[in-house]
Every structure is written in structure tokens, then in C-alpha cells.
Amino acid sequence: MAVTELPPTAQCAADERIQSILRRQSLRESAARTYARSLPIVPVRARGLTIEGADGRRYLDCLSGAGTLALGHNHPVVLEAIRSVLDSGAPLHVLDLATPVKDAFLDELFATLPPQLAERGRVQFCGPAGTDAVEAALTLVRTATGRDGLLAFTGAYHGMTTGALAASGGARAVSVTRLPFPYDYRCPFGVGGDRGAELAARWTESVLDDDKGGVPAPAGMILEPVQGEGGVIPAPDGWLRRMREITTARGIPLIADEVQTGVGRTGAFWAVEHSGVVPDVMVLSKAIGGSLPLAVVVYRDDLDVWSPGAHAGTFRGNQLAMAAGAATLAFVRENALAERAATLGARILARLRELARRHPCVGDVRGRGLMLGLELVDPEGAAAPIEPALAPGSAAPAHAPGPTSAITPTSALAPAPSLAAAVRQECLGRGLIVELGGRHSSVVRLLPPLTLTDEQAEAVLDRLADALEAVERSYAARAHAPLAPPLPGPAR
Ligand code: PMP
């Protein structure tokens, strides 16, 4: 069980209080609520990796606000930055006006950006959600190119907005062409590795150059350097460089969605830096606000041809978030936390690979830096059919062109969302918070803060290993239980 220090009677009272809050939540809040369903806890205090519930139970938080908390909960430098704005008497709401706080945030942001982008960079402050910044990036490139097509990838997640602009009378339909993202474990072409990534790149190239390919003229290509919600799938560096070459050669702006991968998470300050690719546009949110809401688009100045108000929003001037964000960016930079994420992440990945060898229900382990995932599979199930390359209505066929004899189907087992959910549940019972992601919700995801210590990493791995063992034990018990005797019924 999660650690608690309350005496038994106080524990009972606290448990009851929590249950009544959760009951009221389920009566008053939306059926669309998400994390609240799988994490029935009521946080009241948090520091670093640890969250404490109203029942006194403590949890190691490897969800980190869906990857937001680069420094963990309530880091002293973040709290100090927020307090200093509050104590200064500065206005908290300033639309998109200039302020010293915003100026300092921009100094810090430009100091961390890939130099080639920083030299000619412009920043659009957005409504404070990643999805709004994605919308802004799309408007930016559509205006700059005069085109309406968008190239995006299978398994991508870029946000939730749709419809508001249409309802306001200002929408121009976007026409998305979906292209294959290299997914080694369930390679859409059935080959995996470098060859799978090369086929994915060749497919992209061929549909763009085919006059009859049915691809609307693209205003931009948007991609995640590591797909997060899609199941922790790092884009191979070589493939990313190919996407850069393909888009440059055709005058298509490349948009890197670094909402989740930014600020050291993957072991580089920005995940595109692993490959040396410099995108034309970067979409940033989550960690850049130091735990408060903030979202921006950074882009090269020649794209800056949109008109005043082309992307607006009431809440673009969150001063507390800018102060907390500047403090976070500076702390990550000054303390080389990206490098720390790279070394610690590699060590954890090696330990997860050992776990995978011992646990047949772990089909694949992958990640970059401190963005890690374990894909759960049915250990006794049949091999899964090869992942269709593209969604219905998209531009590519399910299998790669070329001689079929060159294709060795990958042998991934069927995804096991119920086992993944059971692991998440067992982790919670052991005081460890993890989330699920992936095409089939079968990937257990770890997004610990970059401040994770070696000892904390060990504790996380121990609890995860324990949870996996418990799940496999009950899976085995169920799979091999003797059939229940038939219920007595009427004689036939
Ligand atoms: N892009 C990526 C890569 C994301 O991971 C997310 C959120 N998980 C978003 C965009 C959308 O961000 P938000 O939820 O803040 O709108």
C-alpha cells in the first residue's frame, strides 16, 4: 500500500472524507473526465516527486502533470518566482502587453532555443494550452504559404480543439494527409528498424511527388519528435533528418510539436536537437510554464506575415506562468538537467529491458531520456496483425510497395490494454502513479521529473517490478484455473 503515517482512527476518518469527495466528483463532474477515473486520489500536498493525498497516503508521481513538471511539484525556484510576482504588485492579467516578467521569460526562452531558430525567431503567445498553440502554428503556416493541406502522422496527438473558429465564421477547412510514423515494434510495413523508417520516408516522398497522389498542397508538416500519447515512440534521428530534407526541398514548413518533449525531457533541451534538425516552427507548452498554463509558438521571421489578431486569445499574458516558466528554463539549463535526463533515462531503460526479459507480458520497452514506456502484450495471445499503415481515407496502402519477399513481418504479440490497466492499478496500490498511452492504451508510461534522484529511480523501478509480478501472477492464475463446474440446471 502507499505509505501513510496516520493512526488507524484518523486513517478511517480520512478515508471516509476522501470517499465522499470522490463520490461528489462523480456526481458533479463530466463523464469525459480522464485521469480522475484511473487515479482516485485527492491530492492535498506535493513536493518534488511526491504527492500526498487527503488520506495521508504518499505517491511517487511519474505522471508529472502529463509531462508538465520538469522540476517536480512545487520546486523552490518556481515557488520563489511566483511569490516575487505576487509580492511586486504587478498586474496578473495583461492580455498580450509587454511586461518585465514577459521580457525576462523571452530572454530565457531565446537562450535555450536552437541557435539557428533563436537568431531569427519570433514568438506568438497563445491561449495557455498546447492545442491552442498548435492551432496558431497551423494558421501561421497556412497564411505564409497560402495553402490549406497539412501533413501529419499516424499515432500523433496534437490536442483537442475543433469547431470554435468554424462557429465564429472564420474557419478555412484544413485537409490532413496522414503519413506513416516509424513504429519499430509494430512497423506499419512489417519490417521495423532502419528499413521500416526508410520505407516510411520513401512513402512520404512518393505521395508528395505524385501529381495524382491526391495530397492537397501542404501548408506544413507537423510531427512529434517522440510521440507521447501515441505510446512513447521516438522518431529515429535519420528519419527526422529525412523529413527535414523532404520538406525543405518542397518549400513545406516543418512544425515540431515539442509540447511534451521540450525542456530537457528527452535528454536534450529540445528533442529535435538529437537529430540536429532545425524546424521552421516549434510549438511549446507544458513545462515552459513551470507547472502553470503557458503556450507559445516560435517560428522563423520570414513566416511572420500574418495580420494583427490572426491568432488571438484573452489569456495570453499569464504573468505567474511566465515567471515560473523562466525560473524552470533557467534551472534546467544551469543544472544540465537535460544531460541528467539522458544518463538517468538510459539507466532506467536498461533496467526496464531486464524487467521485460523476466516478464513475458512486456512486449517492448522504449523511450528517450525520461520519457519512457513499456508496451504490454498478451503473453499467450496470437501475434498481432501488422499495424495498418494509415487510417481509412488516408493516402497510403496498408503495406509497403516493393517485393513482398523482402518483408519479414515483425512478431509483436497482440496489445493487452487490460493488463496495462491492471499494472497501473497495482502501481497505484504500491504508491506509484503512472499513466497509459498508445494506440491501444497498452503502453505504461513514465514521465518522472528531471530532478529524479538515483534512489527515487530505484524506488520507482522496485514498485513497478512488484506491480508487474502481481499482474502476471493473477493473469497466470486466471489462465490456468480449472473450469468452474456447470451450474445445476433443469435436466434435459
Ligand atoms: N501536443 C502534444 C505533443 C501533446 O502531448 C499535447 C498534450 N498531451 C498537446 C499537444 C495538447 O496540449 P494541451 O493538452 O495543453 O492542449
Side-chain angles (χ1 to χ4, degrees):
M1 258 330 227
V3 180
T4 173
E5 282 167 7
L6 295 179
T9 45
Q11 187 66 62
C12 269
D15 285 348
E16 258 171 46
R17 185 163 156 250
I18 277 209
Q19 287 315 318
S20 66
I21 290 176
L22 292 175
R23 242 190 333 273
R24 284 197 294 281
Q25 177 182 46
S26 72
L27 290 173
R28 299 196 285 209
E29 291 188 32
S30 158
R33 67 192 187 283
T34 52
Y35 303 105
R37 290 179 183 278
S38 51
L39 302 173
I41 63 172
V42 179
V44 289
R45 256 180 299 278
R47 187 77 169 206
L49 180 67
T50 307
I51 289 186
E52 189 182 316
D55 53 3
R57 291 193 168 85
R58 300 223 182 100
Y59 302 86
L60 304 182
D61 180 11
C62 282
L63 174 55
S64 299
T68 300
L69 304 167
L71 306 184
H73 292 273
N74 292 335
H75 193 280
V77 299
V78 169
L79 296 183
E80 179 49 36
I82 293 171
R83 274 193 203 106
S84 73
V85 175
L86 289 175
D87 294 345
S88 73
L92 296 180
H93 192 290
V94 292
L95 298 166
D96 64 349
L97 305 184
T99 69
V101 172
K102 185 198 261 190
D103 198 43
F105 170 77
L106 283 173
D107 284 347
E108 229 357 283
L109 182 64
F110 276 102
T112 66
L113 287 172
Q116 278 166 280
L117 187 58
E119 274 159 28
R120 297 185 50 192
R122 289 275 188 279
V123 177
Q124 164 75 22
F125 284 86
C126 298
T131 193
D132 190 65
V134 169
E135 295 291 350
L138 301 187
T139 304
L140 174 84
V141 295
R142 291 168 79 193
T143 309
T145 61
R147 306 176 211 136
D148 285 327
L150 177 67
L151 306 173
F153 290 90
T154 48
Y157 182 83
H158 298 291
M160 281 276 160
T161 43
T162 180
L165 199 55
S168 311
R172 265 160 58 197
V174 184
S175 182
V176 176
T177 299
R178 206 156 289 278
L179 298 164
F181 191 84
Y183 181 3
D184 212 7
Y185 186 60
R186 297 186 190 282
C187 175
F189 301 111
V191 290
D194 291 346
R195 176 102 178 105
E198 171 55 23
L199 286 172
R202 273 185 26 202
W203 179 258
T204 294
E205 213 164 27
S206 73
V207 293
L208 289 179
D209 291 344
D210 180 354
D211 282 349
K212 301 271 185 285
V215 178
M221 170 187 281
I222 186 165
L223 54 78
E224 296 156 87
V226 180
Q227 285 193 345
E229 307 305 324
V232 196
I233 307 177
D237 292 343
W239 176 85
L240 209 51
R241 285 191 286 270
R242 290 271 275 131
M243 292 306 107
R244 179 64 287 188
E245 285 160 21
I246 289 170
T247 48
T248 301
R250 291 159 185 80
I252 302 168
L254 178 65
I255 305 167
D257 180 343
E258 291 246 21
V259 166
Q260 192 164 140
T261 49
V263 194
R265 169 65 53 200
T266 69
F269 206 100
W270 305 106
V272 285
E273 289 169 332
H274 291 293
S275 61
V277 160
V278 181
D280 305 294
V281 182
M282 280 170 71
V283 183
L284 314 177
S285 187
K286 292 201 195 264
I288 64 158
S291 74
L292 298 178
L294 189 61
V296 302
V297 184
V298 182
Y299 53 93
R300 222 188 28 251
D301 54 6
D302 58 298
L303 294 169
D304 200 24
V305 295
W306 49 0
S307 314
H311 189 83
T314 310
F315 291 107
R316 286 175 291 156
N318 189 334
Q319 298 296 283
L320 296 181
M322 287 176 199
T328 300
L329 295 173
F331 194 88
V332 171
R333 182 170 59 78
E334 287 160 6
N335 293 280
L337 291 190
E339 291 78 353
R340 165 77 183 156
T343 45
L344 184 56
R347 272 216 305 277
I348 297 178
L349 200 57
R351 289 282 309 278
L352 293 176
R353 292 211 166 104
E354 276 167 33
L355 270 186
R357 276 193 287 279
R358 288 207 306 276
H359 294 284
C361 69
V362 180
D364 192 29
V365 165
R366 52 185 182 253
R368 204 152 202 185
L370 288 173
M371 191 167 177
L372 299 156
L374 300 88
E375 181 156 344
L376 276 280
V377 293
D378 180 352
E380 290 179 9
I386 291 168
E387 195 78 0
L390 299 167
S394 55
H399 296 285
T404 42
S405 58
I407 292 178
T408 330
T410 51
S411 55
L413 292 171
S418 58
L419 287 186
V423 170
R424 175 177 60 188
Q425 179 73 24
E426 292 291 339
C427 283
L428 190 68
R430 288 163 176 75
L432 174 64
I433 296 176
V434 297
E435 239 312 319
L436 304 187
R439 321 291 214 264
H440 314 277
S441 291
S442 57
V443 178
V444 174
R445 304 188 56 201
L446 298 174
L447 290 161
L450 314 185
T451 47
L452 189 73
T453 65
D454 292 351
E455 297 71 35
Q456 288 172 332
E458 287 302 315
V460 166
L461 284 163
D462 286 349
R463 292 179 198 197
L464 179 62
D466 241 36
L468 277 168
E469 237 148 68
V471 167
E472 265 185 3
R473 261 199 316 272
S474 68
Y475 176 88
R478 254 183 296 127
H480 301 117
L483 286 177
L487 290 173
R492 287 176 196 268

